Amino acid sequence: MEAIVNKDTCIGCGACVGVCPEIYSFDDDGKAEAIDGDVPSDLEAGAVDGRDQCPVDAIDIKE
């Protein structure tokens, strides 16, 4: 599983970072970003929850 943040859509609200800071963080522009590579299996539920909390649907999860 991989989490991908669309920087053009992200509004930097921080919902994903608040839900799962192990996967999501802020870049230098104040936009969310996800860790590179595969999401560890023990953090998959948090990654999905972070995506689901995004008010602008800027996060995609690839299986």
Side-chain angles (χ1 to χ4, degrees):
M1 166 186 284
E2 183 179 8
I4 302 163
V5 178
N6 182 327
K7 303 281 187 161
D8 293 330
T9 306
C10 178
I11 59 172
C13 74
C16 60
V17 177
V19 169
C20 193
E22 300 87 358
I23 300 297
Y24 304 104
S25 61
F26 289 111
D27 67 11
D28 293 337
D29 294 326
K31 302 281 183 129
E33 62 184 359
I35 62 168
D36 286 331
D38 289 336
V39 173
S41 60
D42 61 324
L43 296 175
E44 287 180 356
V48 170
D49 194 19
R51 175 202 63 195
D52 293 347
Q53 296 300 318
C54 180
V56 294
D57 297 323
I59 301 171
D60 189 25
I61 301 284
K62 304 254 186 213
E63 296 294 329

